[in-house]
Amino acid sequence: MVLYKFLSINNFLPVIMGFIFILLFLLIGLICIRTLIKEKSPFKTHFLLYIFFALLIFVSFNRIVGAVSDFVYQYNSFIKPYNEGEYLTVEGSIDNYYSVAMDTSFTVNDIYFEYNPYYPFDLGFNNRSEYIKNGNKVRIEYVYVEETDEGTERNVIMKIEKL
C-alpha cells in the first residue's frame, strides 16, 4: 500500500494556492495604481497610497520570483531525476525514529531520512505519517541530493510503501 508519493497534488496545492493569492495581490496593486494615475490628482495627496501599492506590487513580485526559483531548484534537484528513473530504493524496518517540533527523522537499513511535516512539499507526507514508527516495514524510493540550499546533503523521499 502506498503511504506517500511526492508527485501527488497534495504536495503542490499549498504552493498553487499561495501563488494565486500573491497574483491576486499583485493585480489589486496594479489596478489601484492605475486608478490613482487616471484620477490625475496631485501626487502629494496620494503619496502614501502610491507607496503602499508600490510596496504591495514589489512584495508580490518578489514572492512570485521566489516560488518559481524554488520550484525550478526542486525540479532539477529531485523531481526530474526521479521521473528519469535516477532514484534509489531501500526496504526494511524503520529504526531511530525521532520527532520533535517541526523535524522528523528515521533510518531504514542505516540510510538516514528526514522531513518537515509543515513544509508545503511535505504536507502530503504528514497526512500518512502515523505509520512511520520504529519497527514498521517500508519500501522507500528516494533521490540523493548532494547539495541543498543549506549546503548539506540529504535523501529526498519520493515514495513510501507499507510492506
Side-chain angles (χ1 to χ4, degrees):
M1 176 177 135
V2 175
L3 295 173
Y4 167 78
K5 186 163 174 94
F6 180 85
L7 302 174
S8 69
I9 192 65
N10 290 341
N11 300 106
F12 296 104
L13 195 56
V15 174
I16 292 168
M17 295 303 291
F19 192 72
I20 291 170
F21 188 68
I22 291 167
L23 280 176
L24 181 64
F25 271 111
L26 181 63
L27 185 63
I28 290 170
L30 290 172
I31 289 171
C32 290
I33 284 195
R34 184 170 183 236
T35 304
L36 286 173
I37 290 171
K38 273 188 164 183
E39 285 182 10
K40 296 183 181 177
S41 58
F43 183 74
K44 292 177 187 174
T45 59
H46 295 297
F47 179 72
L48 289 177
L49 286 175
Y50 278 109
I51 296 298
F52 173 74
F53 292 125
L55 283 173
L56 184 64
I57 291 168
F58 174 75
V59 169
S60 298
F61 183 74
N62 189 354
R63 294 305 308 147
I64 289 170
V65 169
V68 169
S69 67
D70 189 42
F71 179 78
V72 168
Y73 165 77
Q74 292 187 16
Y75 179 80
N76 289 328
S77 295
F78 46 88
I79 297 172
K80 183 179 176 186
Y82 182 75
N83 288 338
E84 293 175 352
E86 298 173 15
Y87 61 88
L88 303 166
T89 303
V90 64
E91 285 186 28
S93 297
I94 295 171
D95 296 314
N96 305 314
Y97 174 79
Y98 176 76
S99 182
V100 61
M102 295 186 352
D103 294 318
T104 301
S105 63
F106 59 92
T107 59
V108 176
N109 291 343
D110 296 324
I111 298 174
Y112 179 78
F113 297 98
E114 66 182 1
Y115 68 95
N116 178 344
Y118 301 102
Y119 184 64
F121 286 103
D122 289 337
L123 285 175
F125 184 81
N126 189 38
N127 296 336
R128 293 161 183 83
S129 62
E130 310 86 39
Y131 188 79
I132 307 300
K133 302 287 183 215
N134 283 329
N136 291 340
K137 298 202 180 293
V138 293
R139 175 184 302 120
I140 299 178
E141 293 177 359
Y142 65 98
V143 175
Y144 174 74
V145 179
E146 289 186 32
E147 290 189 34
T148 62
D149 289 337
E150 298 85 32
T152 60
E153 54 192 43
R154 73 178 209 157
N155 297 313
V156 179
I157 300 168
M158 301 305 286
K159 182 178 178 182
I160 297 181
E161 292 180 86
K162 179 180 176 181
L163 298 180

